Amino acid sequence: MKSFDIRTTIYFGDNALDRLLELSYNKILIITDPFIEKSGMLSLITNRLQQAFIDFDIFSDVVPDPPLEKITHGVQRLLESKPDCIIAIGGGSAIDSAKSIREFGMRASKTDIALIAIPTTSGTGSEVTSFAVVTDAENDIKYPLVSDSMLPTEAILDAELVKSVPASVTADTGMDVLTHAIEAYVSINNNEFSAALAEKAIEICGTFLLRSYLDNNDRHARAKMHVASCLAGLAFNSASLGLNHGIAHAIGAKFHIPHGRANAIVLPYVIEFNSGINKHSKSQKEYPKCVEKYCNVAKLLGVNNFNEITTIRALVGWIQFMNKEMNIPLSISQCGIDKREYMNAVESMAEKAIADACTATNPRVPSKAEVCLILEHMYD
């Protein structure tokens, strides 16, 4: 027996931030990063809280790839502040930090604390998932934490917060959305509900991602990608992810490549691995089950072709085209990483990718040797 539910209440559309005027909490801890605090964007939140006469504190010691020590500092701040609600505003790092801080803080204080997630990038989908990723910087490991208790109480999607996102971030986070949707779609845990959400997210990416990248004044495209990010998050929260994320986590932890960018670089290689189809392939009588799924993805993106081989090749080509159009590196070497240092880390990264919780639901079970080969091919 399977089940599907959406526990996070989602507010979206024009003036979605006005939901904050309706809150009735006594004390709120805002968790964000220094850029958002200094940019003036935070006033969109604090002004509304002041109008609602709600007291608040701010914890802005959030950094990319949140390390364990920052989470510890956040828990200490939460215990001092004693809020009955947390508002997380920012990208995946801020929301993941807030989830982790809240989780450990509730255990320490033995109190329930609501969590409102307000994303300022259209990528992670963290505002509707039970996942959070924290980093053990000393050992170059990213740990995906998974617990239903980490699900945000509410999510607020307001396109006002993403209209000024730089093109490079739009590209990285947009490809993160696409990767979430595709991995959820082919996951061994996929179901009819997660598939419907993933399909819609993929369709939106095909239509609006490049538009959103090319023109940050295209408010309609940005609003659509903001919704797509949430849809993909709901999809993978139900179906989980795959090897693509396992490898991206390992590369990101070791070489500090932004997560969405790492996913974008890895995606063509993992599709070829999972499908068993590459530029040398010939037609077969039977294909792995995921090939039909990948062909559906190609159809949603408008690049379905003559047969399974040509369709998978067209899908891989479309992803590489999008990466090139949005100035995302096509290989690890284009990220400026030294070849010897990278190759020396291949074996350890492969081990971490296989051990990653996301890899468990990949449609094809990878061996260490196969992951090493993928990592090696990704360099040039």
Side-chain angles (χ1 to χ4, degrees):
M1 182 173 66
K2 297 180 179 180
S3 66
F4 179 86
D5 61 5
I6 300 174
R7 300 185 189 181
T8 304
T9 303
I10 303 166
Y11 297 87
F12 62 100
D14 293 341
N15 304 312
L17 283 173
D18 285 348
R19 163 60 184 161
L20 299 173
L21 298 171
E22 303 172 352
L23 301 180
S24 57
Y25 298 108
N26 296 313
K27 179 71 173 291
I28 287 176
L29 177 63
I30 299 172
I31 296 179
T32 190
D33 60 61
F35 171 78
I36 288 176
E37 184 178 32
K38 295 173 183 176
S39 68
M41 190 183 298
L42 196 60
S43 64
L44 295 171
I45 309 301
T46 56
N47 287 349
R48 286 174 169 84
L49 295 182
Q50 288 168 347
Q51 289 180 55
F53 301 102
I54 298 174
D55 190 20
F56 60 86
D57 285 336
I58 299 172
F59 175 77
S60 60
D61 193 15
V62 169
V63 297
D65 301 322
L68 296 172
E69 58 268 24
K70 296 292 186 183
I71 302 301
T72 301
H73 294 161
V75 172
Q76 292 171 345
R77 185 63 179 275
L78 181 146
L79 295 176
E80 293 167 1
S81 182
K82 298 180 181 178
D84 50 353
C85 176
I86 292 171
I87 291 180
I89 174 169
S93 295
I95 297 175
D96 282 4
S97 294
K99 287 179 175 180
S100 304
I101 290 167
R102 173 193 183 222
E103 180 76 5
F104 297 124
M106 288 196 300
R107 292 183 186 184
S109 65
K110 294 182 172 57
T111 58
D112 289 330
I113 302 170
L115 172 59
I116 299 173
I118 307 176
T120 59
T121 60
S122 306
T124 68
S126 187
E127 67 275 7
V128 290
T129 73
S130 54
F131 291 74
V133 179
V134 297
T135 302
D136 178 354
E138 186 175 340
N139 295 302
D140 294 327
I141 299 175
K142 284 190 175 184
Y143 291 106
L145 307 178
V146 187
S147 172
D148 283 347
S149 61
M150 299 180 77
L151 279 163
T153 314
E154 298 181 11
I156 299 176
L157 310 179
D158 197 316
E160 180 71 18
L161 297 171
V162 296
K163 68 179 183 180
S164 60
V165 171
S168 61
V169 176
T170 298
D172 291 346
T173 55
M175 289 305 292
D176 199 19
V177 173
L178 183 66
T179 306
H180 288 156
I182 291 176
E183 285 218 286
Y185 196 56
V186 302
S187 161
I188 61 173
N189 280 355
N190 79 83
N191 56 70
E192 288 85 352
F193 297 95
S194 66
L197 293 161
E199 285 176 350
K200 190 60 180 179
I202 291 165
E203 178 188 312
I204 291 172
C205 287
T207 304
F208 293 103
L209 174 52
L210 194 55
R211 271 181 55 177
S212 183
Y213 169 80
L214 292 172
D215 182 6
N216 66 357
N217 292 315
D218 190 338
R219 187 183 176 90
H220 181 65
R222 296 230 159 183
K224 287 289 189 180
M225 285 304 301
H226 215 35
V227 170
S229 175
C230 189
L231 292 172
L234 290 169
F236 84 75
N237 193 57
S238 173
S240 194
L241 294 162
L243 178 60
N244 207 109
H245 270 74
I247 293 176
H249 287 154
I251 292 173
K254 178 64 179 177
F255 293 105
H256 309 293
I257 298 172
H259 176 66
R261 190 174 307 169
N263 269 329
I265 296 169
V266 176
L267 187 55
Y269 296 90
V270 167
I271 290 174
E272 289 183 341
F273 170 75
N274 286 340
S275 64
I277 293 172
N278 56 46
K279 60 185 178 182
H280 304 295
S281 296
K282 296 182 178 179
S283 295
Q284 304 163 215
K285 290 183 178 180
E286 294 184 2
Y287 295 92
K289 290 182 179 179
C290 66
V291 168
E292 182 181 356
K293 289 279 191 178
Y294 283 131
C295 287
N296 287 341
V297 171
K299 185 176 181 180
L300 289 165
L301 295 172
V303 294
N304 54 309
N305 215 292
F306 177 68
N307 59 22
E308 289 88 349
I309 300 289
T310 56
T311 298
I312 297 298
R313 294 306 307 147
L315 174 59
V316 168
W318 186 89
I319 293 165
Q320 291 171 330
F321 164 80
M322 288 291 287
N323 286 347
K324 190 171 182 178
E325 285 291 295
M326 297 190 295
N327 291 309
I328 294 175
L330 299 180
S331 65
I332 299 298
S333 63
Q334 292 180 10
C335 296
I337 294 169
D338 179 74
K339 185 171 186 177
R340 179 177 296 180
E341 182 184 3
Y342 178 80
M343 291 302 177
N344 286 340
V346 160
E347 188 172 345
S348 65
M349 288 193 296
E351 291 171 351
K352 289 167 184 172
I354 289 174
D356 192 288
C358 295
T359 302
T361 47
N362 195 65
R364 178 177 173 183
V365 178
S367 68
K368 177 181 172 181
E370 287 170 331
V371 177
C372 283
L373 200 58
I374 292 171
L375 286 164
E376 289 168 1
H377 286 166
M378 282 170 49
Y379 185 82
D380 293 316

